[in-house]
């Protein structure tokens, strides 16, 4: 019974992370415009930018290849992380759930 509660808590935490991730992205797209930074406090500006490639703009010219590679890598990593998530407990489990929610949000 206790394991079942932990499983639901982890699923809820992961779902909350996905919702938060997507909400922040939607808010940023609606509130910010490209090349127009918004000053929050002196020295801290928010600026909307998009990375059309992978890390450092890799594969930016081939959208189909990029999508295929990214989907395969994400499915593999999320699968590994979910297995690790259920093999751990406590803080480590919450950390894995946060990583999975970030990956699913992308």
């Amino acid at each position: 019974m206790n394991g079942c509660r932990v499983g639901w808590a982890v699923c809820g935490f992961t779902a909350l992370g996905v919702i938060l991730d997507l909400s922040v992205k939607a808010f940023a797209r609606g509130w910010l415009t490209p090349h127009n930074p918004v000053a929050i406090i002196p020295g801290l500006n928010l600026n909307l930018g998009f990375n059309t490639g992978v890390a450092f703009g890799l594969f930016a010219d081939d959208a189909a290849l990029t999508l295929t590679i990214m989907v395969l890598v994400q499915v593999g990593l999320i699968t590994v992380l979910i297995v690790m998530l259920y093999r751990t407990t406590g803080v480590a489990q919450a950390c894995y759930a946060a990583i999975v929610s970030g990956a699913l949000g992308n």
Side-chain angles (χ1 to χ4, degrees):
M1 182 71 108
N2 191 16
C4 183
R5 260 189 256 138
V6 170
W8 282 112
V10 168
C11 288
F13 184 73
T14 303
L16 181 64
V18 171
I19 291 167
L20 181 63
D21 184 62
L22 295 175
S23 298
V24 167
K25 289 175 184 174
F27 177 76
R29 283 189 198 112
W31 189 54
L32 300 171
T33 56
H35 311 295
N36 188 15
V38 175
I40 303 299
I41 59 172
L44 178 63
N45 298 330
L46 294 179
N47 193 14
L48 182 64
F50 296 95
N51 183 3
T52 57
V54 188
F56 309 110
L58 296 173
F59 304 116
D61 295 333
D62 192 351
L65 177 63
T66 302
L67 181 62
T68 303
I69 290 172
M70 291 306 297
V71 167
L72 292 174
V73 168
Q74 281 187 342
V75 166
L77 287 175
I78 289 171
T79 301
V80 168
L81 286 169
I82 288 173
V83 169
M84 293 170 71
L85 186 144
Y86 280 101
R87 289 184 178 178
T88 61
T89 59
V91 174
Q93 199 170 44
C95 291
Y96 284 125
I99 294 169
V100 168
S101 66
L104 290 173
N106 287 332

